[in-house]
């Protein structure tokens, strides 16, 4: 082979990498048997197969993009099906739903089941007591206003994330 050109300080070097080919539709890739026939191994990704049949050119995508598409389908499809079923089925009776949501909005009493039942009975008698925590009153959306405990838990969770990432950063920088 010919001698490569001499690299000097300030020269720009371009190096191109070719990622190895991976199977789009099979979880463990393609295998070859003793006769030389190629077959898919592992789970068949039907969602990607359907997308490919619909005309999406998955072979032109990087492997990571195909995996992202597969993950998004697996995450969003159940919610889409749930919404379709909810919209196409009959609603429960209003009184039954109201009682259910009053019970869901009533916090558990720390003094035990007797006090808990008493509090629940009070809230069932006057349902407006539980409606004050709703973010969107006079709507069918059940989003609640956050209290001190909610904000404290949220901030504590993010503090833990920052501490764990900081610890990982320290381990990597000290160990490397």
């Amino acid at each position: 082979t010919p001698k490569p050109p001499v690299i000097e300080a300030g020269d720009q070097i371009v190096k191109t990498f070719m990622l190895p080919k991976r199977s789009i539709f099979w979880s463990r890739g393609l295998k070859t048997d003793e006769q030389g026939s190629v077959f898919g191994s592992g789970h068949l990704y039907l969602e990607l197969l359907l997308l490919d049949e619909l005309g999406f050119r998955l072979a032109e995508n990087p492997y990571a993009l195909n995996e992202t598409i597969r993950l998004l389908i697996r995450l969003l499809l159940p919610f889409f099906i749930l919404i379709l079923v909810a919209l196409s089925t009959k609603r429960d009776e209003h009184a039954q739903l109201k009682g259910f949501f009053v019970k869901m909005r009533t916090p558990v009493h720390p003094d035990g089941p007797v006090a808990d039942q008493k509090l629940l009975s009070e809230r069932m008698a006057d349902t407006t007591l539980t409606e004050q925590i709703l973010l969107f009153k006079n709507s069918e959306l059940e989003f609640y206003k956050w209290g001190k405990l909610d904000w404290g838990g949220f901030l504590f969770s993010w503090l833990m994330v920052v501490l764990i990432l900081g610890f990982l950063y320290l381990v990597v920088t000290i160990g490397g």
Side-chain angles (χ1 to χ4, degrees), residues 7-15:
I7 301 172
E8 296 181 11
D11 288 351
Q12 186 176 5
I13 301 172
V14 177
K15 191 169 186 177

Side-chain angles (χ1 to χ4, degrees), residues 21-129:
K21 298 266 183 192
R22 298 194 64 177
S23 173
I24 298 173
F25 307 113
W26 295 97
S27 64
R28 292 191 184 156
L30 298 174
K31 310 259 175 157
T32 308
D33 61 7
E34 296 83 24
Q35 291 83 22
S37 300
V38 178
F39 64 95
S41 175
H43 300 290
L44 176 62
Y45 298 142
L46 292 174
E47 61 274 13
L48 292 181
L49 192 62
L50 178 67
L51 280 178
D52 196 59
E53 288 296 319
L54 290 174
F56 292 92
R57 298 178 184 163
L58 298 178
E60 296 173 4
N61 295 343
Y63 177 74
L65 178 60
N66 288 336
E67 282 296 305
T68 303
I69 292 169
R70 189 177 70 82
L71 182 66
L72 284 174
I73 290 172
R74 292 183 70 187
L75 287 174
L76 298 177
L77 186 64
F79 289 105
F80 181 69
I81 292 171
L82 185 66
I83 290 169
L84 282 178
V85 169
L87 291 174
S88 63
T89 55
K90 183 183 167 203
R91 290 176 174 239
D92 290 333
E93 295 178 28
H94 183 69
Q96 185 180 7
L97 281 176
K98 195 166 189 170
F100 171 76
F101 284 117
V102 166
K103 192 172 185 179
M104 290 292 101
R105 293 182 211 133
T106 304
V108 177
H109 201 282
D111 292 339
V114 175
D116 199 30
Q117 190 60 39
K118 182 182 175 205
L119 180 63
L120 185 59
S121 298
E122 290 172 5
R123 301 271 172 113
M124 287 290 203
D126 185 12
T127 59
T128 58
L129 294 173

